């Protein structure tokens, strides 16, 4: 049977997830080596181009206006500012730049035009440009693609069953519709989720079921460990255990063998050994730079040292060969 499947069952994913850890990592590492260069890790850089004041109620998010958090609200950045940050990120070795905005959805206004200009500017540097701007229509996604956007991030975040307990201001279906619009526009898809929200193992499996049933699979799958932020409803959640993250990454690697799996939020809480284990289990992308969107990320020099110690090399831009073309 092919490793690339869109019909994984809950039972199959549960069986993989519950495999004894070392067997699980061994299996994931084996698949990883079949589809990827295991010594290459993509370096992405994140910019929060518009921070805070979001109307949504995502229980994990410090940028939701309704929660009282310590973040510094900031209106949309200028193209110049983004240009400067992108240059620095590229010097540091980043091949992808992800621009995040605390929006519920994209509106057809001046701000959107400004984002299109940012996309053009960063694309001209030869970087993969990714954006995460909330819900988009097919037309908006096409405009982004025409401006040179390479990927669109839109996470399903958790299982369909658990969604309502985390976000009430939109539906799981809205998320899936946006992912479809992004596909139709010919963009690559970046979609994953968060663990540590208080979800059950079944929810984690349910989330992977949804993602692995997308055909084609998302080219990138970010796995975030919740960064608990004071003032949000999930501010008191305990930190995700390293082994849980490793297990989740390994399962993701096995069910979406040719996707890039990103060890996303939560690295500040992990030592090098844990991260090394995650790379062994099939993670092959990280966010580098002092900040994620609003919360801290490991120091870039420390990350470079980790790459040195582990013998990892940054992956160059535009290496993903789409296995199948989607009909427009
Ligand atoms: N507003 C847009 C949206 O929700 O799609 C884009 C930005 S939003 C901050 C992007 C993703 O960041 C969320 O889907 C979620 O997975 C992740 N995220 C937000 N807060 C987080 C936290 N405290 N810990 C881990 N991941 C988080
Ligand atoms: C993703 O999956 N994780 C990133 C990116 N995509 C946009 C965001 C993580 C945010 C963590 C909380 C913060 O820094 O605000
Ligand atoms: Fe807004 Fe995105 Fe944060 Fe939800 S995750 S509150 S949509 S910025």
């Amino acid at each position: 049977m092919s490793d690339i499947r869109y019909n994984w069952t809950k039972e199959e994913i549960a069986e993989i997830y519950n495999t004894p850890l070392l067997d699980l990592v061994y299996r994931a590492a084996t698949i990883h080596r079949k589809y990827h260069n295991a010594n290459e890790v993509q370096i992405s850089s994140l910019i929060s181009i518009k921070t805070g004041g979001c109307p949504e109620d995502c229980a994990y998010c410090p940028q939701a206006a309704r929660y009282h958090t310590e973040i510094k609200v900031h209106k949309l950045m200028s193209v110049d500012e983004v240009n400067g940050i992108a240059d620095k990120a590229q010097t540091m070795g980043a091949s992808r730049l992800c621009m995040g905005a605390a929006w519920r959805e994209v509106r057809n206004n001046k701000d959107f035009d400004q984002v299109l200009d940012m996309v053009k500017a960063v694309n001209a540097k030869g970087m993969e440009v990714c954006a995460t701007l909330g819900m988009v229509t097919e037309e908006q996604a096409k405009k982004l693609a025409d401006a040179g956007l390479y990927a669109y991030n839109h996470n399903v975040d958790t299982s369909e069953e658990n969604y309502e307990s985390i976000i009430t201001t939109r539906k799981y279906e809205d998320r899936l519709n946006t992912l479809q619009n992004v596909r139709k526009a010919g963009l690559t898809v970046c979609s994953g989720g968060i663990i540590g929200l208080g979800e059950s193992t079944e929810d984690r499996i349910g989330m992977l079921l949804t993602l692995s049933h997308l055909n084609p699979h998302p080219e990138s799958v970010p796995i975030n460990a919740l960064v608990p932020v004071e003032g949000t409803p999930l501010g008191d959640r305990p930190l995700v255990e390293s082994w849980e993250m490793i297990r989740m990454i390994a399962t993701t690697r096995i069910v979406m063998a040719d996707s890039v799996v990103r060890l996303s939020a939560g690295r500040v809480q992990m030592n090098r050994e844990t991260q090394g284990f995650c790379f062994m289990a099939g993670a092959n992308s990280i966010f580098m730079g002092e900040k994620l969107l609003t919360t801290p990320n490991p120091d870039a020099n420390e990350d470079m040292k980790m790459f040195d110690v582990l013998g990892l090399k940054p992956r160059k831009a535009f290496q993903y060969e789409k296995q199948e073309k989607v009909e427009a």
Side-chain angles (χ1 to χ4, degrees), residues 102-173:
W103 286 335
R104 169 183 163 76
E105 76 242 309
V106 169
R107 304 240 169 105
N108 297 316
N109 56 18
K110 268 203 213 140
D111 277 2
F112 184 43
D113 293 338
Q114 197 164 313
V115 172
L116 295 174
D117 287 339
M118 293 174 191
V119 172
K120 281 181 201 147
V122 181
N123 181 48
K125 299 179 199 299
M127 296 179 90
E128 295 175 14
V129 197
C130 176
T132 181
L133 316 168
M135 294 183 263
V136 285
T137 63
E138 190 181 335
E139 290 66 38
Q140 291 164 339
K142 283 208 172 109
K143 280 192 189 163
L144 286 163
D146 288 344
L149 193 79
Y150 184 70
Y152 196 83
N153 165 260
H154 202 63
N155 293 337
V156 299
D157 280 328
T158 187
S159 68
E160 184 164 10
E161 295 77 18
N162 191 38
Y163 204 69
E164 275 181 18
S165 75
I166 305 296
I167 299 142
T168 68
T169 49
R170 55 170 190 257
K171 297 204 154 46
Y172 209 63
E173 206 188 329

Side-chain angles (χ1 to χ4, degrees), residues 54 58 60-63 100-104 132-135 153-155 157 170 175 193-194 224-229 265 293 295:
C54 184
C58 313
Y60 48 74
C61 188
Q63 302 198 65
W103 286 335
R104 169 183 163 76
T132 181
L133 316 168
M135 294 183 263
N153 165 260
H154 202 63
N155 293 337
D157 280 328
R170 55 170 190 257
R175 268 341 238 184
I194 312 181
N224 297 278
L226 175 74
V227 182
V229 179
L293 291 172
T295 63

Side-chain angles (χ1 to χ4, degrees), residues 279-298:
F279 296 131
M280 185 73 192
N284 57 349
S285 176
I286 56 164
F287 284 122
M288 201 185 268
E290 62 183 37
K291 247 209 244 167
L292 290 164
L293 291 172
T294 65
T295 63
N297 200 38

Side-chain angles (χ1 to χ4, degrees), residues 40 48 113 127 160 210 220 265 277:
E40 261 184 19
S48 183
D113 293 338
M127 296 179 90
E160 184 164 10
T210 299
S220 298
F277 235 116

